[in-house]
Amino acid sequence: MSPATEPNNGERWHVEPGDVLLVTDIQYDFLSGGRLAVAGGDEVIPALNRYIDEFVAHGQPVYATRDWHPAGHCSFHEQGGSWPVHCVAGTSGAEFSSSLKLPPDTTVISKATLQDQEAYSSFQGTELGSRLRAAGIRRVFIGGLTTDYCVLNSVKDARALGFEVFVLTDAIRAVDVRPGDGKRAEEEMARLGARFITLDSLSP
Ligand code: VGL
Ligand code: ZN
């Protein structure tokens, strides 16, 4: 890891008013046995559950995004896209993992819902940005799947919208279609001003 993506730089962090936790795409199709299984994807769930506990304990909101494609979405191989069929709205593969302990008042954001448009960012074509603004959010803490697609593109948009961004290094995994994609995504997020944190540096 290059210095900029080294977690924490010795800094501690804690949850404050104005913070949101953005849990990205913890859906069966991205997990082991799924149609677009991400290596190590399941490993982020226990970490995310601990982040969730921390945000709930501080009364701060949790948002969960889901890839939510129509059948025949343009991103599928059959349509000339890059991916196997995955996360088709309403199917079991698109459901959140039952191991993920989302609070009852979680706000769910569905993305990439239009047939002819790929949308890796959770902000693209959704109400996420306006909802976070309306809720007075200043800092976005993002974890989940996948580092090199949804997390990267969501971080880009969050930074462009003026949010501070913290990437949960111990709760993300990459698809790595090309080896090193995840690492390069982390470097790009660092260039954009995102900071990298882990549970280890949570203030006691
Ligand atoms: C994603 C691959 C295909 C993502 C979505 O949300 O990261 N990756 N579709
Ligand atoms: Zn997708």
Side-chain angles (χ1 to χ4, degrees):
M1 239 185 283
S2 66
T5 59
E6 200 70 54
N8 314 312
N9 292 316
E11 270 179 84
R12 299 214 159 254
W13 62 278
H14 63 275
V15 177
E16 306 176 345
D19 291 351
V20 68
L21 177 62
L22 196 53
V23 176
T24 303
D25 296 8
I26 303 300
Q27 297 165 273
Y28 286 115
D29 273 342
F30 291 125
L31 301 171
S32 64
R35 301 174 91 171
L36 182 38
V38 176
D42 300 64
E43 295 165 14
V44 304
I45 297 176
L48 287 170
N49 285 336
R50 290 183 56 198
Y51 285 105
I52 289 168
D53 285 347
E54 196 61 26
F55 275 72
V56 169
H58 287 82
Q60 289 307 117
V62 176
Y63 281 55
T65 67
R66 59 186 184 186
D67 210 24
W68 199 247
H69 299 310
H73 187 246
C74 63
S75 75
F76 301 163
H77 289 319
E78 287 77 354
Q79 277 66 40
S82 311
W83 308 109
V85 172
H86 66 280
C87 297
V88 173
T91 63
S92 54
E95 283 174 23
F96 291 126
S97 167
S98 63
S99 304
L100 182 68
K101 300 302 175 201
L102 290 172
D105 60 349
T106 299
T107 301
V108 175
I109 301 286
S110 304
K111 68 178 167 70
T113 60
L114 299 179
Q115 186 92 17
D116 54 1
Q117 218 177 81
E118 181 55 294
Y120 292 122
S121 167
S122 299
F123 291 89
Q124 189 181 336
T126 72
E127 293 186 343
L128 180 59
S130 56
R131 296 196 62 158
L132 296 184
R133 283 242 173 90
I137 296 303
R138 291 183 303 273
R139 308 198 305 175
V140 174
F141 291 68
I142 183 167
L145 306 171
T146 61
T147 310
D148 32 2
Y149 291 92
C150 191
V151 173
L152 170 64
N153 287 283
S154 298
V155 167
K156 281 186 190 172
D157 283 349
R159 292 295 297 145
L161 291 168
F163 296 106
E164 278 185 65
V165 173
F166 293 81
V167 177
L168 313 178
T169 312
D170 48 0
I172 55 173
R173 289 294 184 279
V175 194
D176 276 336
V177 171
R178 290 165 301 261
D181 279 355
K183 183 181 180 301
R184 283 186 288 275
E186 290 190 15
E187 287 164 357
E188 186 167 358
M189 293 188 282
R191 275 196 297 278
L192 294 168
R195 286 186 274 168
F196 294 78
I197 59 171
T198 66
L199 287 163
D200 289 338
S201 59
L202 177 58
S203 276

PDB file of all heavy atoms in Angstrom, residues 30 36 67 69 73 75-76 83 86-87 111-112 118 120, ligand 2:
ATOM      1  N   PHE A  30     -22.985 -10.990  -4.787  1.00  0.00           N
ATOM      2  CA  PHE A  30     -21.590 -10.562  -4.656  1.00  0.00           C
ATOM      3  C   PHE A  30     -20.838 -11.388  -3.617  1.00  0.00           C
ATOM      4  O   PHE A  30     -19.644 -11.184  -3.395  1.00  0.00           O
ATOM      5  CB  PHE A  30     -21.503  -9.081  -4.281  1.00  0.00           C
ATOM      6  CG  PHE A  30     -21.932  -8.130  -5.375  1.00  0.00           C
ATOM      7  CD1 PHE A  30     -22.920  -7.179  -5.138  1.00  0.00           C
ATOM      8  CD2 PHE A  30     -21.350  -8.183  -6.628  1.00  0.00           C
ATOM      9  CE1 PHE A  30     -23.315  -6.289  -6.140  1.00  0.00           C
ATOM     10  CE2 PHE A  30     -21.727  -7.303  -7.638  1.00  0.00           C
ATOM     11  CZ  PHE A  30     -22.720  -6.359  -7.388  1.00  0.00           C
ATOM     12  N   LEU A  36     -21.835 -13.281  -9.057  1.00  0.00           N
ATOM     13  CA  LEU A  36     -20.680 -12.404  -9.301  1.00  0.00           C
ATOM     14  C   LEU A  36     -19.907 -12.311  -7.987  1.00  0.00           C
ATOM     15  O   LEU A  36     -19.663 -11.243  -7.444  1.00  0.00           O
ATOM     16  CB  LEU A  36     -21.178 -11.029  -9.787  1.00  0.00           C
ATOM     17  CG  LEU A  36     -20.210  -9.918 -10.175  1.00  0.00           C
ATOM     18  CD1 LEU A  36     -18.981 -10.431 -10.898  1.00  0.00           C
ATOM     19  CD2 LEU A  36     -20.934  -8.906 -11.051  1.00  0.00           C
ATOM     20  N   ASP A  67     -27.349  -2.993  -5.635  1.00  0.00           N
ATOM     21  CA  ASP A  67     -27.342  -3.061  -7.080  1.00  0.00           C
ATOM     22  C   ASP A  67     -28.685  -3.701  -7.424  1.00  0.00           C
ATOM     23  O   ASP A  67     -29.033  -4.762  -6.878  1.00  0.00           O
ATOM     24  CB  ASP A  67     -26.167  -3.959  -7.491  1.00  0.00           C
ATOM     25  CG  ASP A  67     -25.572  -3.605  -8.833  1.00  0.00           C
ATOM     26  OD1 ASP A  67     -25.703  -2.452  -9.270  1.00  0.00           O
ATOM     27  OD2 ASP A  67     -24.965  -4.500  -9.459  1.00  0.00           O
ATOM     28  N   HIS A  69     -30.810  -4.336 -10.646  1.00  0.00           N
ATOM     29  CA  HIS A  69     -30.956  -4.265 -12.098  1.00  0.00           C
ATOM     30  C   HIS A  69     -32.272  -4.871 -12.577  1.00  0.00           C
ATOM     31  O   HIS A  69     -32.732  -5.882 -12.029  1.00  0.00           O
ATOM     32  CB  HIS A  69     -29.831  -5.055 -12.778  1.00  0.00           C
ATOM     33  CG  HIS A  69     -28.452  -4.558 -12.471  1.00  0.00           C
ATOM     34  ND1 HIS A  69     -28.083  -3.242 -12.583  1.00  0.00           N
ATOM     35  CD2 HIS A  69     -27.321  -5.226 -12.076  1.00  0.00           C
ATOM     36  CE1 HIS A  69     -26.802  -3.115 -12.271  1.00  0.00           C
ATOM     37  NE2 HIS A  69     -26.319  -4.301 -11.950  1.00  0.00           N
ATOM     38  N   HIS A  73     -30.482  -6.250 -18.103  1.00  0.00           N
ATOM     39  CA  HIS A  73     -29.732  -4.998 -17.934  1.00  0.00           C
ATOM     40  C   HIS A  73     -28.523  -4.958 -18.882  1.00  0.00           C
ATOM     41  O   HIS A  73     -27.900  -5.992 -19.156  1.00  0.00           O
ATOM     42  CB  HIS A  73     -29.255  -4.882 -16.476  1.00  0.00           C
ATOM     43  CG  HIS A  73     -28.612  -3.564 -16.157  1.00  0.00           C
ATOM     44  ND1 HIS A  73     -27.275  -3.457 -15.837  1.00  0.00           N
ATOM     45  CD2 HIS A  73     -29.116  -2.309 -16.132  1.00  0.00           C
ATOM     46  CE1 HIS A  73     -26.999  -2.171 -15.612  1.00  0.00           C
ATOM     47  NE2 HIS A  73     -28.091  -1.459 -15.783  1.00  0.00           N
ATOM     48  N   SER A  75     -25.584  -4.211 -18.527  1.00  0.00           N
ATOM     49  CA  SER A  75     -24.273  -4.635 -17.999  1.00  0.00           C
ATOM     50  C   SER A  75     -24.074  -6.148 -18.056  1.00  0.00           C
ATOM     51  O   SER A  75     -22.993  -6.640 -17.724  1.00  0.00           O
ATOM     52  CB  SER A  75     -24.093  -4.151 -16.558  1.00  0.00           C
ATOM     53  OG  SER A  75     -24.857  -4.927 -15.651  1.00  0.00           O
ATOM     54  N   PHE A  76     -25.087  -6.889 -18.488  1.00  0.00           N
ATOM     55  CA  PHE A  76     -24.982  -8.355 -18.511  1.00  0.00           C
ATOM     56  C   PHE A  76     -24.368  -8.826 -19.836  1.00  0.00           C
ATOM     57  O   PHE A  76     -24.605  -8.222 -20.886  1.00  0.00           O
ATOM     58  CB  PHE A  76     -26.362  -9.009 -18.336  1.00  0.00           C
ATOM     59  CG  PHE A  76     -27.069  -8.646 -17.046  1.00  0.00           C
ATOM     60  CD1 PHE A  76     -28.442  -8.856 -16.905  1.00  0.00           C
ATOM     61  CD2 PHE A  76     -26.379  -8.108 -15.956  1.00  0.00           C
ATOM     62  CE1 PHE A  76     -29.101  -8.531 -15.718  1.00  0.00           C
ATOM     63  CE2 PHE A  76     -27.028  -7.779 -14.776  1.00  0.00           C
ATOM     64  CZ  PHE A  76     -28.393  -7.994 -14.656  1.00  0.00           C
ATOM     65  N   TRP A  83     -20.595  -8.164 -17.349  1.00  0.00           N
ATOM     66  CA  TRP A  83     -20.821  -9.006 -16.166  1.00  0.00           C
ATOM     67  C   TRP A  83     -21.810 -10.134 -16.430  1.00  0.00           C
ATOM     68  O   TRP A  83     -22.697  -9.985 -17.265  1.00  0.00           O
ATOM     69  CB  TRP A  83     -21.371  -8.151 -15.010  1.00  0.00           C
ATOM     70  CG  TRP A  83     -20.571  -6.931 -14.709  1.00  0.00           C
ATOM     71  CD1 TRP A  83     -20.931  -5.637 -14.952  1.00  0.00           C
ATOM     72  CD2 TRP A  83     -19.267  -6.870 -14.095  1.00  0.00           C
ATOM     73  NE1 TRP A  83     -19.944  -4.779 -14.540  1.00  0.00           N
ATOM     74  CE2 TRP A  83     -18.914  -5.511 -14.007  1.00  0.00           C
ATOM     75  CE3 TRP A  83     -18.382  -7.832 -13.611  1.00  0.00           C
ATOM     76  CZ2 TRP A  83     -17.703  -5.087 -13.454  1.00  0.00           C
ATOM     77  CZ3 TRP A  83     -17.174  -7.407 -13.063  1.00  0.00           C
ATOM     78  CH2 TRP A  83     -16.846  -6.055 -12.985  1.00  0.00           C
ATOM     79  N   HIS A  86     -26.583 -10.581 -12.614  1.00  0.00           N
ATOM     80  CA  HIS A  86     -26.454 -10.462 -11.158  1.00  0.00           C
ATOM     81  C   HIS A  86     -27.410  -9.402 -10.641  1.00  0.00           C
ATOM     82  O   HIS A  86     -27.788  -8.488 -11.368  1.00  0.00           O
ATOM     83  CB  HIS A  86     -25.014 -10.076 -10.777  1.00  0.00           C
ATOM     84  CG  HIS A  86     -24.638  -8.696 -11.258  1.00  0.00           C
ATOM     85  ND1 HIS A  86     -24.267  -8.438 -12.549  1.00  0.00           N
ATOM     86  CD2 HIS A  86     -24.625  -7.508 -10.614  1.00  0.00           C
ATOM     87  CE1 HIS A  86     -24.032  -7.144 -12.692  1.00  0.00           C
ATOM     88  NE2 HIS A  86     -24.246  -6.551 -11.539  1.00  0.00           N
ATOM     89  N   CYS A  87     -27.781  -9.554  -9.390  1.00  0.00           N
ATOM     90  CA  CYS A  87     -28.570  -8.545  -8.670  1.00  0.00           C
ATOM     91  C   CYS A  87     -29.788  -8.069  -9.471  1.00  0.00           C
ATOM     92  O   CYS A  87     -30.023  -6.863  -9.616  1.00  0.00           O
ATOM     93  CB  CYS A  87     -27.701  -7.360  -8.264  1.00  0.00           C
ATOM     94  SG  CYS A  87     -26.385  -7.810  -7.110  1.00  0.00           S
ATOM     95  N   LYS A 111     -29.801   1.157  -6.884  1.00  0.00           N
ATOM     96  CA  LYS A 111     -29.083   1.841  -7.979  1.00  0.00           C
ATOM     97  C   LYS A 111     -28.996   0.957  -9.220  1.00  0.00           C
ATOM     98  O   LYS A 111     -29.203  -0.257  -9.138  1.00  0.00           O
ATOM     99  CB  LYS A 111     -27.682   2.239  -7.520  1.00  0.00           C
ATOM    100  CG  LYS A 111     -26.781   1.038  -7.281  1.00  0.00           C
ATOM    101  CD  LYS A 111     -25.402   1.459  -6.884  1.00  0.00           C
ATOM    102  CE  LYS A 111     -24.597   0.310  -6.350  1.00  0.00           C
ATOM    103  NZ  LYS A 111     -24.221  -0.677  -7.387  1.00  0.00           N
ATOM    104  N   ALA A 112     -28.649   1.596 -10.322  1.00  0.00           N
ATOM    105  CA  ALA A 112     -28.519   0.928 -11.622  1.00  0.00           C
ATOM    106  C   ALA A 112     -29.805   0.196 -11.982  1.00  0.00           C
ATOM    107  O   ALA A 112     -29.800  -0.961 -12.396  1.00  0.00           O
ATOM    108  CB  ALA A 112     -27.305  -0.006 -11.655  1.00  0.00           C
ATOM    109  N   GLU A 118     -25.576   1.802 -17.187  1.00  0.00           N
ATOM    110  CA  GLU A 118     -24.784   1.291 -16.066  1.00  0.00           C
ATOM    111  C   GLU A 118     -24.613   2.432 -15.076  1.00  0.00           C
ATOM    112  O   GLU A 118     -24.532   3.597 -15.468  1.00  0.00           O
ATOM    113  CB  GLU A 118     -23.424   0.779 -16.554  1.00  0.00           C
ATOM    114  CG  GLU A 118     -22.557   0.203 -15.449  1.00  0.00           C
ATOM    115  CD  GLU A 118     -23.221  -0.910 -14.622  1.00  0.00           C
ATOM    116  OE1 GLU A 118     -24.211  -0.624 -13.896  1.00  0.00           O
ATOM    117  OE2 GLU A 118     -22.747  -2.051 -14.666  1.00  0.00           O
ATOM    118  N   TYR A 120     -22.428   2.694 -11.531  1.00  0.00           N
ATOM    119  CA  TYR A 120     -21.688   2.083 -10.435  1.00  0.00           C
ATOM    120  C   TYR A 120     -21.783   2.922  -9.164  1.00  0.00           C
ATOM    121  O   TYR A 120     -21.683   2.389  -8.065  1.00  0.00           O
ATOM    122  CB  TYR A 120     -20.220   1.886 -10.820  1.00  0.00           C
ATOM    123  CG  TYR A 120     -19.996   0.849 -11.889  1.00  0.00           C
ATOM    124  CD1 TYR A 120     -19.370   1.163 -13.084  1.00  0.00           C
ATOM    125  CD2 TYR A 120     -20.424  -0.460 -11.691  1.00  0.00           C
ATOM    126  CE1 TYR A 120     -19.161   0.204 -14.059  1.00  0.00           C
ATOM    127  CE2 TYR A 120     -20.224  -1.426 -12.668  1.00  0.00           C
ATOM    128  CZ  TYR A 120     -19.590  -1.087 -13.840  1.00  0.00           C
ATOM    129  OH  TYR A 120     -19.388  -2.043 -14.803  1.00  0.00           O
TER     130      TYR A 120
HETATM  131 ZN    ZN B   2     -24.283  -4.544 -11.315  1.00  0.00          ZN
END
